[in-house]
Every structure is written in structure tokens, then in C-alpha cells.
Amino acid sequence: MTSALEDYALIGDHQTAALIGRDGSLDWLCLPRFDSPACFAALLGGVDQGHWRLAPAGSGACTRRAYLEDSLILESVWETADGTVKVIDFMPQRDRAPDVVRIVEGVRGRVEMLGVLRLRFDYGRVVPWVRRSDSHHIAVAGPDSVWLRSDPAVHTYGQDFSTRSEFTVSAGDKVAFVLTWHPSHEPRPRQIDPYEALDHSLKDWRAWAARCRYQGPHRDAVVRSLVTLKALTYAPTGGIVAAPTTSLPERLGGVRNWDYRYCWLRDSTLTLSALLLAGYREEAAAWRDWLLRAIAGDPAELQIMYGLGGERRIHEYELPWLPGYADSAPVRVGNGAVGQRQLDVYGEVMDSFHLARGSGLPAERHAWQIQRAMMDFLESAWQDPDEGLWEIRGPRRHFVHSKVMAWVAADRAVRALEAHPELPGDIDRWRVMRETVHREVCEKGYDDTRSTFTQSYGSVELDAATLLIPRVGFLPADDPRVIGTIDAVRRELSHDGLIRRYTTDGDHGGDGGGNGGGNVDGLPGSEGAFLACSFWLADALVLAGRRQEAETLFQRLLSLRNDVGLLSEEYDPKSGRLLGNFPQAFSHIGLVRTALTLAEDRRAD
């Protein structure tokens, strides 16, 4: 039976991450990087695709669990008829090799424990050869090698192509398991001391969380979201993945299943803003530097997403041997949207560098040259249709959000030259572009009859992305057109009080611009409420002076987090289930931004 997404907790080492269920089963882990093939893929199939369960024999879900303080160290507790036991799970920041540490500690009575390790490399497809060497079990297949040891050693045996461990713990007993991956052609990596690693990890996380500048009423939620964003950061480059998972469905049993283990430019401004406002300048600078390296090159070839190191080739293909989460097929690796044209990313990149410059981050000498080249390209390209923010797989359109972000690009270029007249650039030309884009959006992207901005020129569909119009400064928050858009989005895109990105049921007609009816994204079926969009609505309400409505919505969104404070991409109010890839950076960025926006509004009173 498939576990609900809210049953999972996250551990990681800033280069990859694992999901562990309430039942003590580690069901997802890619090694050695976020985007590597999974060696535990039960999340997308079942235990035969690889998992590692460590729990009391015959038990189900744990009694309770929590992260230790403001860390990514998970403690799960089982209270049984025979006694109480806890399991501490974490991944220490790596030296060279990635390690998963699982420490079993007896609390009361005597508890019989059972560990079942079923390694399956290449997303559940490859069964490794397992052998013993001294106190280790070694699994090898092709390029992958995994070493498992326990301290002290416990009774371990093979059964049904798995490695099983049976042992009993009494109050005060501790047994530590360490699983280490390394390339199979290299020597065994240095062994870590699991208890020293635990102490160091806890101290590191405690010190990191203490840097958070936010001290408002939602500090616990904000810090947990920031810890999650830190966990989704690929430390060697500073890139932040959208999620550590692939193909978790936007609708159970549906086909809207995508790989999110990459870095999106759409997240850049919101991520940078959240990190800077929360006091994490080093992380913000690392993200800015990743962004600068990734976009270097021909502006016409700017992609919407890149690999962890800025890789450009992210070929999409399917894994037919995996049935998918809750039988939601296909399971995909890679993301074909990488080849789409999304003109909004130029505005997001320009806004990111504007924000970085204004915050006092050390300037990069060649950054302005890249920005000028982007503006030279965008001056004509902004008039073209594109696939838009949401990576539609239908025909290109003149999306309003894309045009608004083209205005943002021109506006930030103008403001850069106004603040730094020594920089080279044609400010008059960019002012003309800014005015032209603004006029066109207000003429072609606004529906006077319904008093709202629409999804695309001539369309009757709405788009939650238009909620960002006051945030980016396109119009003031008290402008009647902004107020009308807020109310229209709440009216037409609400799903039990939460916000969908856009309509997917095709119940509106064609847009009069050759786009026809049917789903705008070219895909069958529907999806849940998009959590980031719901946070955007809360932000827009605050900016429009409707703080009580924003507070109510924010509290509702906080209640959707699972027991350890994690959010996925979407939520289905009917089933009460989290949907989409998990945990989702975009959702946690939204949480942090809304908490900070509410705090700023309170200080302004």
C-alpha cells in the first residue's frame, strides 16, 4: 500500500536527500547526487524497487516523530507492549562519500528490532551482488557500491534478495547502522564515527538556524522552511533543486508526473529575496553565483532550468518498469520542458541581479555585460508568444505573466542605470520598451468586463501568476485592476479556499486568438491547488491592505504542513492529501515570503 506523502520526512547532506516514512522505511534516495539514479525507489513502486526499513518487529507507524531542534536530524519513537525505542536518522555533511546513519536507542523495556535492506540500483531495476567483508555487507552492481555496517555488530542474514538484521535493545542500548556509497572502482571510503557525526551535525544545524533574522510569531514554520531550502541546496555549486523527487503526481493516477530534481530560473528572485530577508547572505550569494554561471552564453539560448552544476542537457525519458506512485504512470526522468521558451525568465533573472545589487552582495564584474546582452535580445523577443511560466505542453500564447516579466526586465535595467549612471547601456531605449510593454499588457491582457487580468491576450481564462503584478511593481496594490484581479482569481480559481494555477477542465471557450478550447496545457485531467499560488494570494491581500484575510489564509496553509513541517507542490482539498513532488522548494519559499510580508506589514502600522 502506498504511503501518503505527508507520512514522509526528509534527511539529507546538501548533495542529495532521502525520504523516510512513519513506518521507518527509507523509500527514496538517489546517490551520489539529487539527480542520480535512485538506489531506493519504493516511493515509485513498492518494496521490490528498493527500501530500507528499520523498526520494531511486527510494528506499523511510529508513535511520534520530530526533528531534533532546528535540524534535519529525524527522531522517530515507537511505544510497544514490550518497551519503547527510538530511531535517529540523518545524513552527515559529507567529506567525500555520502553516508546514511540510523541509530537505534532503547528507551524502556526490551524491544525486538528488524531491519530489512533491499538495495536496487538504477531506479529499482538492478539487483546488486552482495558479499561480506569483515564486519561489512558490500553490494556492488556496475558503477555503484554500497557498504553497510553496524556498531556493535548484530545478527544479519540474507533473505528474498534483501539483507535482514534482527536484534534486541534494552533501555540504554544503542546500535548504529552506517550505509556508505562510493564508485565501485574506488577503494572503500574512510569510515565515520556515527556518534561523532551526530554531534557535529546537530551543532552545525543549530548554528545555522540561529542566523535566521526572523523573530515573528511563525518562527518555527519559517526556520523549518529555511532548513528545507538548505537541504535542497547542492552545496558544491549553490544550486537549489525544486524538489528531491521525480514523478510524484499532481493528480493520483494521472499523467502529470514530472522530474523536479533540477534548478529553475523561475524560482530565482523569490529564493534570493527569502534568503536575504531571513539573513542568509552566504546562501544567497551562492545561489546568485550559480545563476550567473548557468545563464552565461547566448541570451537567445537561455533555458528555464539547468542541472545542479548548470548542465543544459536534461533529456526526458520514461521508466516503464516502475508503476509510479499510487499507480500514477509514467515515471519520468529528465524534463522535456527544458527546451521551452519562457520569456518570463529574463525578467526573473534581471530582477534577481537587481535585488542582489541593492542588497549589497559583492558585484560580479561581468554580470552587467550578461544583463545587457539579455536586454538586447529581449527588446524584440518579448513580442513573441511562449509557453509561459507553467510549462504548458500546448500551443504557445501571449501569456500576460510573461509580458509583465518582460516589463520587469526593462524596469530593472532602467533602474540600474539610474542608480549607477557609470554603467554602459541605452536607458532611453529601455524606457521606451518599458512603457510599450506596460501599455500593451493593460490593453490586451485586461478584461474590462470582469475587471481582471487574464492568462493570455484575448483569453477568458485566469492565471494565478497575475497575483504577482503588485509584488513586482507593475501596478500598485491598491489599483482597481489589481483589486479586481485578486477577487477574480479567488472567485474562479479557488478550490476550497486554496488557489489553482489555472483552469484545466477546458470549461471556457477559445480565446479568440487561435488558441481554441480545451486545456491550455495540452494535458488530460486536472490537478490540485497549487500551494505557492495560495501564498501569492496571501501576499497580494497583505499588499492590498486586507491583512486579516491574508492571516486567515496563511494559517490555513500552515495547517497543511505534515507533522514535521513539510509541504509538497499541491494539495487536494477533497482527499486531504498532499500532491506533487515533495518537499517542494517553491511552496516553502512562499511560506517564508508570506511570513516576512506579514511581519513587514505589522511593523508599518
Side-chain angles (χ1 to χ4, degrees):
M1 181 177 178
T2 302
S3 296
L5 291 185
E6 47 268 30
D7 287 341
Y8 286 103
L10 180 79
I11 62 171
D13 65 357
H14 311 308
Q15 296 191 43
T16 191
L19 294 183
I20 300 176
R22 293 177 188 267
D23 61 354
S25 183
L26 194 162
D27 287 349
W28 180 256
L29 176 60
C30 300
L31 291 172
R33 306 190 343 166
F34 289 106
D35 57 354
S36 298
C39 60
F40 297 114
L43 183 68
L44 297 179
V47 295
D48 288 341
Q49 275 72 49
H51 76 128
W52 183 13
R53 185 159 192 251
L54 185 59
S59 68
C62 63
T63 307
R64 61 184 182 275
R65 63 178 180 173
Y67 286 111
L68 298 180
E69 300 181 30
D70 294 329
S71 76
L72 207 66
I73 301 168
L74 179 69
E75 181 180 271
S76 305
V77 177
W78 281 263
E79 294 179 353
T80 74
D82 298 319
T84 302
V85 65
K86 63 183 178 183
V87 177
I88 297 174
D89 293 309
F90 69 103
M91 295 184 70
Q93 293 189 37
R94 72 178 73 169
D95 178 14
R96 290 183 55 196
D99 298 288
V100 178
V101 179
R102 314 194 72 179
I103 299 175
V104 181
E105 182 176 346
V107 178
R108 176 184 61 84
R110 287 173 55 83
V111 180
E112 293 183 6
M113 299 293 295
L114 174 64
V116 180
L117 173 68
R118 185 174 279 107
L119 281 161
R120 296 293 184 268
F121 296 122
D122 194 20
Y123 300 102
R125 192 175 191 182
V126 177
V127 180
W129 183 265
V130 180
R131 61 183 174 86
R132 290 176 183 265
S133 175
D134 298 328
S135 60
H136 289 81
H137 283 74
I138 307 164
V140 178
D144 299 295
S145 180
V146 166
W147 295 63
L148 174 69
R149 65 184 173 92
S150 66
D151 180 18
V154 298
H155 175 55
T156 305
Y157 60 96
Q159 180 179 311
D160 297 330
F161 297 99
S162 68
T163 300
R164 298 187 171 229
S165 305
E166 294 181 355
F167 57 101
T168 300
V169 290
S170 300
D173 290 346
K174 292 183 180 181
V175 179
F177 291 85
V178 180
L179 183 146
T180 305
W181 178 96
H182 72 99
S184 59
H185 64 278
E186 294 184 358
R188 182 183 69 183
R190 180 182 65 85
Q191 295 183 33
I192 66 167
D193 182 307
Y195 301 104
E196 287 184 4
L198 176 60
D199 289 340
H200 291 159
S201 293
L202 188 56
K203 289 177 182 176
D204 287 347
W205 278 113
R206 189 183 295 144
W208 189 86
R211 290 165 48 198
C212 179
R213 288 203 306 233
Y214 175 81
Q215 298 296 330
H218 308 295
R219 189 178 187 281
D220 288 346
V222 168
V223 170
R224 178 51 50 197
S225 288
L226 290 168
V227 166
T228 303
L229 291 176
K230 179 69 171 176
L232 299 180
T233 301
Y234 184 64
T237 65
I240 301 175
V241 297
T245 55
T246 179
S247 301
L248 294 180
E250 296 169 6
R251 180 186 183 186
L252 296 178
V255 300
R256 298 169 180 266
N257 317 320
W258 316 109
D259 192 348
Y260 275 15
R261 298 172 298 160
Y262 308 107
C263 308
W264 265 257
L265 298 191
R266 73 180 184 200
D267 304 1
S268 58
T269 303
L270 295 173
T271 302
L272 199 64
S273 173
L275 291 172
L276 286 169
L277 289 172
Y280 291 96
R281 291 178 59 84
E282 291 180 14
E283 288 75 10
W287 171 243
R288 189 276 314 271
D289 292 345
W290 174 89
L291 183 66
L292 190 58
R293 294 190 301 270
I295 67 172
D298 185 350
E301 301 299 324
L302 190 68
Q303 297 182 180
I304 66 169
M305 74 182 84
Y306 295 85
L308 305 175
E311 299 90 348
R312 293 175 178 247
R313 295 186 183 274
I314 308 176
H315 173 65
E316 181 179 303
Y317 59 96
E318 297 179 3
L319 306 180
W321 62 87
L322 286 176
Y325 178 84
D327 294 321
S328 304
V331 171
R332 296 181 173 96
V333 170
N335 199 310
V338 70
Q340 290 187 355
R341 167 168 285 190
Q342 295 182 19
L343 295 172
D344 63 290
V345 298
Y346 292 88
E348 284 144 5
V349 170
M350 291 293 292
D351 200 18
S352 293
F353 286 116
H354 174 77
L355 179 63
R357 188 181 301 111
S359 69
L361 287 182
E364 292 289 343
R365 293 173 53 189
H366 59 292
W368 181 247
Q369 292 176 291
I370 293 176
Q371 291 174 265
R372 285 180 61 200
M374 289 172 57
M375 289 304 302
D376 289 342
F377 168 76
L378 193 59
E379 278 185 88
S380 59
W382 75 266
Q383 302 173 64
D384 298 334
D386 70 345
E387 277 90 1
L389 170 71
W390 303 125
E391 301 163 17
I392 66 162
R393 302 207 175 192
R396 290 181 175 179
R397 307 184 182 209
H398 290 283
F399 283 98
V400 169
H401 176 72
S402 296
K403 308 301 184 185
V404 168
M405 295 309 294
W407 175 90
V408 169
D411 178 72
R412 301 324 188 242
V414 168
R415 290 165 66 180
L417 290 185
E418 289 174 343
H420 302 278
E422 73 278 5
L423 292 174
D426 193 331
I427 192 171
D428 292 331
R429 201 169 76 236
W430 292 339
R431 281 175 174 151
V432 170
M433 175 186 166
R434 180 175 65 175
E435 181 180 341
T436 302
V437 177
H438 197 281
R439 182 172 58 251
E440 181 178 295
V441 170
C442 292
E443 290 175 355
K444 297 182 178 181
Y446 185 74
D447 185 339
D448 286 306
T449 304
R450 293 152 67 211
S451 301
T452 182
F453 284 96
T454 59
Q455 184 176 59
S456 58
Y457 288 177
S459 173
V460 296
E461 304 284 352
L462 299 186
D463 191 326
T466 56
L467 293 169
L468 294 171
I469 283 175
R471 168 68 70 188
V472 300
F474 184 84
L475 286 173
D478 59 356
D479 188 286
R481 290 165 292 185
V482 172
I483 301 299
T485 299
I486 292 173
D487 291 336
V489 167
R490 293 185 81 179
R491 183 174 61 249
E492 298 189 25
L493 294 183
S494 175
H495 189 8
D496 193 28
L498 304 175
I499 303 301
R500 294 171 292 164
R501 296 185 292 177
Y502 49 85
T503 55
T504 57
D505 54 12
D507 58 352
H508 296 300
D511 62 17
N515 292 323
N519 287 355
V520 66
D521 56 20
L523 295 166
S526 60
E527 62 180 28
F530 202 80
L531 295 178
C533 296
S534 301
F535 284 113
W536 295 349
L537 173 59
D539 291 345
L541 289 169
V542 176
L543 296 175
R546 295 155 68 174
R547 186 169 71 191
Q548 186 55 54
E549 295 174 67
E551 288 271 15
T552 300
L553 177 56
F554 187 56
Q555 291 295 336
R556 170 82 187 283
L557 289 164
L558 289 180
S559 73
L560 303 182
R561 296 173 300 149
N562 73 355
D563 59 313
V564 290
L566 300 180
L567 288 170
S568 66
E569 180 183 22
E570 300 184 3
Y571 179 77
D572 178 15
K574 289 184 179 180
S575 65
R577 296 276 300 270
L578 294 173
L579 298 173
N581 284 297
F582 175 87
Q584 178 80 5
F586 219 25
S587 299
H588 285 282
I589 292 166
L591 188 156
V592 174
R593 282 293 310 157
T594 300
L596 293 170
T597 299
L598 286 166
E600 291 168 2
D601 188 67
R602 291 188 199 97
R603 286 194 294 268
D605 286 348

